[in-house]
């Protein structure tokens, strides 16, 4: 019985690629140094999977930034602003597209389906001259083969690539991206031909858009694409991989009817209903790659349950046609549990990171082949039983409080217009008030202080003194820049979710459980293993300290319940909304303590609210109902004069704008500039928004510093569709990933632009 891995984490067990990338970007190391780190990581991954007994090992899932950007490079679809003149795409062009450079902005970045991974959105139009401009897929296949590992090269499928793209600037929004299919398929054919010539026997096309709600025209594009590729694919075994959700009956029918395809891969963790489609109609002579090991969470697989599922499927498709697989790429989970030295043994026994999931896949495959490792299965069963019965998982008081939430929608008593009037009387802000999103640059010295405090190398007094000094620095800088509503810069926090999770019950934490979010940016999601509550205040001391340093309003900075949920590894033994309500109650306690401490502006970030939206429209309403309700729970008890902000970033918000309004926040700051201001289109189309709103005026994920004139132009575009008295001026997102020599001039230009517009508006009266 064969085994398969859809994809594997790239950063390395100790984030080796992250540090190599940042060193290269900072010009502290060469391209050769970066390539050596990448080569060593790839060879280690391939060897690990081969040693574990995996038959179908992926290649070309490694990336220096993002696999969609790799496909853009393969197709030579470089936007003209990057000045690429043909030939093999090198690091300069590649990273300029990803991060921007001194003269041009980066391409748009958005969430990969409903994950916290981000991809670079291709910008396409009728005039793009596609060409085979990156041989990475073939090079990596040859590299693995030279090491004695015959891999399955993985490509983003041509239809999914186009469906994940957007019309380039200046191209009509109604332009059919699928009309470009005849232009990109010749390049796919070149890649396929080179892979065949290099000795590949299998090829994997990731077509995850098949799990979306697709119309007949979009489904027909899959049929047309693979019919066109059929002759080129002849002689190869072809796997079409889908993940993250069920397929509709129409999509399933389209998939199993594709020409030249040998095998189909399904996510049977998040797509359990697909099992019924398989049982009712699976084509004879084809292979099923059954994704029964969860690629998006860190819980140990219930091997006994998975084996039962696999035996059911084996009876349908045949023993020789079933391959055990992961539900999706392991990119979305942490790398190796072996590196976790501080997790207690009980919780550790409940977990499996990427390296352990590889072992689980192979153990299931061997069990199907009659070589069941009884000791391994017995140990797994004991861990499953331990988790179900452990008293640390359940807190009856928390469950009772969450159950009592039913029956109320938890809205503030006064409407937002009246609240804004009360808040303005107290805060006395100018029109177009300026603020930032929360974090300021995390310097090496600041990281050292936090690291040494965690390692007990410095005292708590020394730590508090250092953090207070950093807060004072940030407050003084904001006052010098004349920003209206200040933040304390979050110097005590390495990560916005990890920080809160460390102070809430029901959470566990890793030392090296890093997961890639985008580029070199990694996050370390907390593990929610039990019922959640807040033992004591979490941020009141630091927010009060910061407020004492200034007469200007100081925002209390919290992460909202939906974002904590979506950016954690969440327990899978109860519905997600129940866990979210528990977190909401904990944050509510914190909000009310901040208000009592004299904090008049409190920001409750819901950066990941859109990210958690189910992929199928039929499931949207239920998710949005409990997600928005969770946010309202957090602040339903505050006074009218307390201004509640929220922040969202890097997703397509236009389709949930009415749910955003229903959150009933006083002010929302929201990413806008990197997505080419498409957020503003909903207001052009007549959506009325009465609360305060701050669409981002510049992209903080690029080192580029926008000019005063550029920012003023963005604000003017906003004023064309939004009322002057509700508009705020702020960056797209927090500033922790930037350097002070980038942040100071950018914020200075932002404030200057706001003042320029205030003057112009005053003179126009």
């Amino acid at each position: 019985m064969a085994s398969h891995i859809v994809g594997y984490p790239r950063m390395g067990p100790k984030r080796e690629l992250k540090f190599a990338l940042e060193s290269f970007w900072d010009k502290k190391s060469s391209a050769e140094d970066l390539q050596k780190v990448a080569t060593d990581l790839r060879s280690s991954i391939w060897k690990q999977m081969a040693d574990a007994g995996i038959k179908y090992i992926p290649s070309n899932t490694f990336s220096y930034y993002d696999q969609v950007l790799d496909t853009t490079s393969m197709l030579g679809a470089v936007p003209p602003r990057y000045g690429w003149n043909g030939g093999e795409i090198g690091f300069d062009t590649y990273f300029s597209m990803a991060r921007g450079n001194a003269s041009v902005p980066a391409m748009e970045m958005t969430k990969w389906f409903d994950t916290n991974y981000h991809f670079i959105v291709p910008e396409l139009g009728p005039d793009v001259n596609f060409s085979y401009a990156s041989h990475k897929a073939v090079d990596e296949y040859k590299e693995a083969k030279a090491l004695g590992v015959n891999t399955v090269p993985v490509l983003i499928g041509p239809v999914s690539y186009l469906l994940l793209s957007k019309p380039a600037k200046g191209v009509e929004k109604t332009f059919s991206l699928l009309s470009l299919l005849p232009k990109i398929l010749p390049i796919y054919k070149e890649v396929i031909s080179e892979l065949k010539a290099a000795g590949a026997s299998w090829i994997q096309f990731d077509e995850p858009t098949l799990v979306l709600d697709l119309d007949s025209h979009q489904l027909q594009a899959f049929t047309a694409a693979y019919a066109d590729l059929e002759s080129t694919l002849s002689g190869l075994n072809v796997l079409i991989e889908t993940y993250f959700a069920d397929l509709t009956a129409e999509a399933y029918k389209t998939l199993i009817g594709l020409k030249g395809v040998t095998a189909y891969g399904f996510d049977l963790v998040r797509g359990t209903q697909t099992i019924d489609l398989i049982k009712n109609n699976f084509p004879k002579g084809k292979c099923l790659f059954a994704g029964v090991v969860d690629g998006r969470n860190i819980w140990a697989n219930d091997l006994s349950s998975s084996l039962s599922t696999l035996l059911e499927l084996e009876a349908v498709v045949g023993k020789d046609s079933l391959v055990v697989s992961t539900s999706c790429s392991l990119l979305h989970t942490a790398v190796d549990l072996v590196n976790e030295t501080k997790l207690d043994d009980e919780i550790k026994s409940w977990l499996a990171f990427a390296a352990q999931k590889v072992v689980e896949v192979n153990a299931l495959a061997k069990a199907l082949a009659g070589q069941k490792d009884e000791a391994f299965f017995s140990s797994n069963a004991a861990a499953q039983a331990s988790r179900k019965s452990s008293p640390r998982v359940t807190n009856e008081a928390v469950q009772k409080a969450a159950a009592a939430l039913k029956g109320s929608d938890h809205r503030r008593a006064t409407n937002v217009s009246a609240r804004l009037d009360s808040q303005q009387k107290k805060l006395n802000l100018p029109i177009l008030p300026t603020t930032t999103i929360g974090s300021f640059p995390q310097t090496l010295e600041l990281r050292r202080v936090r690291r040494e405090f965690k390692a007990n190398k410095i005292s708590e007094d020394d730590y508090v003194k250092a953090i207070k000094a950093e807060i004072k620095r940030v407050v003084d800088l904001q006052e010098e820049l004349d920003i209206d509503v200040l933040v304390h810069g979050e110097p005590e926090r390495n990560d916005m979710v990890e920080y809160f999770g460390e102070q809430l019950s029901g959470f566990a934490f890793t030392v090296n459980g890093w997961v890639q979010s985008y580029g070199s940016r990694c996050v370390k999601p907390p593990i929610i293993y039990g019922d959640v509550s807040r033992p004591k205040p979490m941020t009141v001391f630091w927010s009060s300290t910061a407020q004492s340093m200034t007469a200007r309003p100081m925002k209390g900075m919290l992460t909202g319940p939906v974002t904590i949920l979506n950016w954690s590894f969440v327990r899978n033994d109860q519905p997600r909304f129940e866990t979210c309500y528990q977190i909401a109650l904990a944050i509510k306690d914190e909000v009310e303590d901040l208000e009592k401490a004299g904090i008049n502006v409190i920001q409750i970030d819901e950066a990941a609210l859109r990210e958690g939206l189910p992929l199928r429209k039929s499931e949207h309403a239920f998710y949005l109902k409990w997600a928005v309700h969770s946010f309202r729970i957090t602040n339903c008890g505050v006074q009218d004069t307390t201004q509640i902000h929220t922040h969202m970033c890097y997703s397509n918000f236009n389709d949930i704008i009415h749910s955003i309004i229903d959150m009933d926040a006083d002010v929302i700051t929201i990413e806008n500039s990197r997505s080419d201001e498409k957020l503003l289109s909903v207001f052009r189309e007549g959506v009325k928004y009465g609360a305060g709103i701050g669409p981002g005026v510049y992209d903080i994920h690029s080192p580029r510093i926008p000019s005063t004139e550029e920012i003023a132009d963005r604000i003017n575009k906003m004023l064309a569709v939004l009322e002057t008295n509700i508009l705020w001026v702020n960056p797209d997102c927090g500033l922790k990933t930037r350097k002070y020599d980038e942040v100071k001039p950018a914020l200075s230009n932002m404030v200057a632009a706001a003042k320029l517009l205030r003057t112009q508006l005053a003179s126009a009266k």
Side-chain angles (χ1 to χ4, degrees):
M1 188 61 62
S3 51
H4 166 252
I5 304 297
V6 177
Y8 202 80
R10 308 154 181 161
M11 285 289 122
K14 300 287 180 69
R15 294 180 292 162
E16 292 87 342
L17 182 61
K18 168 190 171 65
F19 299 122
L21 283 166
E22 291 173 356
S23 177
F24 175 71
W25 293 337
D26 290 341
K27 297 182 168 54
K28 293 177 181 175
S29 61
S30 66
E32 291 74 19
D33 294 329
L34 175 58
Q35 288 164 334
K36 184 180 185 310
V37 170
T39 300
D40 290 346
L41 282 171
R42 286 193 297 267
S43 62
S44 172
I45 291 166
W46 291 326
K47 184 177 185 301
Q48 176 190 347
M49 284 193 256
D51 289 349
I54 301 299
K55 180 176 181 180
Y56 300 114
I57 297 172
S59 61
N60 199 41
T61 58
F62 179 90
S63 178
Y64 287 106
Y65 207 93
D66 159 50
Q67 71 269 24
V68 180
L69 183 61
D70 292 349
T71 309
T72 295
S73 298
M74 182 184 85
L75 298 171
V78 181
R81 65 181 177 275
Y82 299 108
W84 176 65
N85 295 314
E88 189 80 4
I89 289 175
F91 282 155
D92 283 352
T93 300
Y94 181 85
F95 288 129
S96 290
M97 289 191 286
R99 308 176 70 238
N101 58 43
S103 57
V104 290
M107 296 168 70
E108 180 185 351
M109 181 169 70
T110 197
K111 295 290 174 74
W112 178 245
F113 294 82
D114 58 347
T115 75
N116 187 31
Y117 179 75
H118 301 67
F119 73 96
I120 303 298
V121 182
E123 302 172 11
L124 304 178
D127 299 328
V128 176
N129 293 314
F130 296 99
S131 64
Y132 187 10
S134 170
H135 292 67
K136 176 179 173 293
V138 178
D139 291 343
E140 286 190 17
Y141 172 79
K142 290 178 177 177
E143 183 184 320
K145 191 175 182 185
L147 296 170
V149 182
N150 192 23
T151 59
V152 178
V154 179
L155 300 175
I156 298 287
V159 183
S160 287
Y161 176 78
L162 292 176
L163 290 176
L164 293 168
S165 302
K166 70 173 187 178
K169 202 165 188 176
V171 174
E172 288 292 328
K173 299 302 180 190
T174 56
F175 173 72
S176 171
L177 293 160
L178 289 175
S179 69
L180 298 174
L181 203 51
K183 293 188 176 183
I184 68 170
L185 289 178
I187 293 145
Y188 273 88
K189 290 176 183 177
E190 286 189 69
V191 179
I192 294 163
S193 296
E194 286 194 8
L195 287 168
K196 283 169 70 174
S201 57
W202 278 84
I203 187 168
Q204 174 179 321
F205 291 101
D206 282 7
E207 292 282 14
T209 57
L210 275 165
V211 305
L212 302 178
D213 294 308
L214 301 179
D215 60 34
S216 58
H217 172 66
Q218 291 167 324
L219 290 172
Q220 176 58 33
F222 288 94
T223 303
Y226 288 92
D228 194 330
L229 292 173
E230 183 182 13
S231 61
T232 310
L233 290 168
S234 177
L236 278 174
N237 292 294
V238 178
L239 165 65
I240 306 293
E241 186 67 51
T242 69
Y243 36 79
F244 298 152
D246 287 299
L247 274 70
T248 63
E250 294 81 5
Y252 181 79
K253 183 179 178 182
T254 298
L255 174 60
I256 63 173
L258 296 181
K259 301 284 188 182
V261 174
T262 315
Y264 316 101
F266 300 105
D267 182 338
L268 301 182
V269 176
R270 289 178 174 244
T272 52
Q273 292 174 35
T274 302
I275 293 174
D276 293 332
L277 296 173
I278 294 167
K279 288 179 178 178
N280 290 333
N281 180 23
F282 192 81
K284 287 182 177 166
K286 304 294 185 182
C287 293
L288 169 63
F289 281 57
V292 294
V293 173
D294 193 351
R296 286 185 57 175
N297 217 326
I298 42 65
W299 302 109
N301 188 273
D302 184 338
L303 295 177
S304 176
S305 175
S306 291
L307 185 57
S308 295
T309 300
L310 290 165
L311 287 168
E312 286 180 36
L313 293 170
E314 184 182 75
V316 175
V317 305
K319 196 174 191 70
D320 295 333
S321 297
L322 183 63
V323 177
V324 183
S325 184
T326 53
S327 65
C328 62
S329 173
L330 298 176
L331 172 70
H332 309 288
T333 191
V335 179
D336 195 342
L337 197 55
V338 169
N339 298 316
E340 298 308 322
T341 54
K342 295 188 178 178
L343 279 172
D344 69 68
D345 289 342
E346 182 181 34
I347 289 179
K348 202 169 180 178
S349 74
W350 303 343
L351 307 178
F353 291 179
Q356 288 69 47
K357 289 176 186 293
V358 168
V359 174
E360 289 178 338
V361 166
N362 200 54
L364 286 165
K366 288 174 72 176
L368 275 176
Q371 302 167 35
K372 185 178 179 184
D373 185 334
E374 295 292 351
F376 188 69
F377 270 70
S378 176
S379 173
N380 175 265
Q384 298 293 324
S386 159
R387 187 174 162 218
K388 285 176 183 172
S389 62
S390 176
R392 67 200 300 182
V393 170
T394 306
N395 181 323
E396 286 187 18
V398 170
Q399 292 193 349
K400 190 177 288 186
L405 293 171
K406 292 169 184 171
S408 170
D409 63 3
H410 296 90
R411 292 184 185 276
R412 293 171 76 178
T414 311
N415 68 43
V416 68
S417 178
R419 296 199 309 262
L420 288 173
D421 287 343
S422 299
Q423 292 155 15
Q424 179 57 16
K425 287 173 186 172
K426 187 165 191 172
L427 299 173
N428 193 29
L429 298 172
I431 61 166
L432 306 180
T434 54
T435 190
T436 64
I437 304 306
S439 61
F440 265 65
Q442 301 262 312
T443 62
L444 289 174
E445 173 62 16
L446 182 57
R447 293 178 191 276
R448 181 193 64 78
V449 166
R450 284 202 307 262
R451 189 169 58 247
E452 291 189 353
F453 178 59
K454 277 199 168 186
N456 296 316
K457 292 182 179 177
I458 61 173
S459 69
E460 184 173 3
D461 286 346
D462 287 342
Y463 170 74
V464 169
K465 184 178 177 182
I467 297 298
K468 281 184 175 179
E470 184 64 21
I471 291 173
K472 185 73 167 72
R473 173 190 183 185
V474 169
V475 170
D476 288 350
L477 173 61
Q478 291 171 94
E479 290 196 325
E480 176 191 327
L481 292 168
D482 205 17
I483 291 173
D484 299 305
V485 176
L486 310 190
V487 298
H488 76 290
E490 305 176 10
E492 78 282 15
R493 309 176 194 181
N494 178 62
D495 176 86
M496 61 189 284
V497 174
E498 182 182 2
Y499 176 80
F500 289 97
E502 284 178 337
Q503 300 182 79
L504 294 169
S505 63
F507 283 74
F509 293 87
T510 62
V511 176
N512 287 298
W514 297 100
V515 179
Q516 185 182 17
S517 179
Y518 62 86
S520 68
R521 167 81 170 139
C522 297
V523 294
K524 197 166 50 166
I527 298 165
I528 305 177
Y529 67 83
D531 290 334
V532 177
S533 62
R534 186 197 72 148
K536 62 182 181 180
M538 302 179 285
T539 66
V540 175
F541 173 75
W542 295 119
S543 292
S544 301
T545 298
Q547 184 64 81
S548 72
M549 297 175 180
T550 180
R552 300 185 186 212
M554 174 64 63
K555 284 197 277 191
M557 300 300 304
L558 304 176
T559 302
V562 184
T563 296
I564 290 176
L565 183 87
N566 285 335
W567 286 358
S568 298
F569 290 125
V570 183
R571 58 190 293 190
N572 57 2
D573 59 344
Q574 70 177 16
R576 288 172 70 86
F577 70 85
E578 290 186 13
T579 303
C580 198
Y581 283 155
Q582 293 177 1
I583 301 168
L585 287 170
I587 299 299
K588 181 177 186 287
D589 290 343
E590 187 72 12
V591 168
E592 291 170 4
D593 280 349
L594 282 168
E595 184 182 55
K596 288 172 190 169
I599 303 300
N600 297 315
V601 182
I602 302 171
Q603 181 170 308
I604 308 166
D605 285 348
E606 284 295 13
L609 187 137
R610 173 62 174 78
E611 174 187 311
L613 191 69
L615 299 178
R616 304 295 278 283
K617 290 177 183 174
S618 61
E619 300 169 19
H620 285 190
F622 178 68
Y623 167 79
L624 289 168
K625 182 179 180 181
W626 64 255
V628 169
H629 186 194
S630 296
F631 177 82
R632 289 202 306 262
I633 288 167
T634 66
N635 61 88
C636 63
V638 301
Q639 298 173 27
D640 287 355
T641 50
T642 298
Q643 189 167 85
I644 299 296
H645 288 224
T646 190
H647 170 67
M648 296 182 177
C649 57
Y650 298 102
S651 285
N652 180 9
F653 299 106
N654 294 21
D655 54 351
I656 63 162
I657 190 67
H658 293 290
S659 294
I660 292 173
I661 293 170
D662 197 39
M663 291 170 71
D664 199 28
D666 297 310
V667 178
I668 179 169
T669 52
I670 195 162
E671 180 270 327
N672 171 67
S673 61
R674 181 150 185 176
S675 60
D676 202 23
E677 302 168 348
K678 66 184 175 188
L679 170 71
L680 300 184
S681 65
V682 298
F683 303 113
R684 294 189 191 101
E685 291 160 10
V687 171
K688 299 298 180 188
Y689 194 79
I693 184 167
V697 296
Y698 79 91
D699 174 24
I700 64 87
H701 287 99
S702 169
R704 183 173 169 274
I705 298 164
S707 67
T708 298
E709 293 73 24
E710 180 183 332
I711 295 174
D713 181 59
R714 286 192 186 279
I715 298 171
N716 269 320
K717 289 178 181 176
M718 297 170 192
L719 287 170
V721 293
L722 294 165
E723 296 294 329
T724 307
N725 64 335
I726 65 169
L727 188 62
W728 285 64
V729 177
N730 46 264
D732 262 355
C733 204
L735 304 169
K736 69 185 294 181
T737 60
R738 301 267 56 87
K739 298 180 174 64
Y740 272 104
D741 60 4
E742 298 161 346
V743 165
K744 289 178 184 177
L747 290 180
S748 178
N749 291 348
M750 183 187 82
V751 173
K755 289 181 175 179
L756 174 66
L757 268 294
R758 288 173 195 161
T759 302
Q760 291 176 358
L761 289 166
S763 63
K765 284 184 178 178

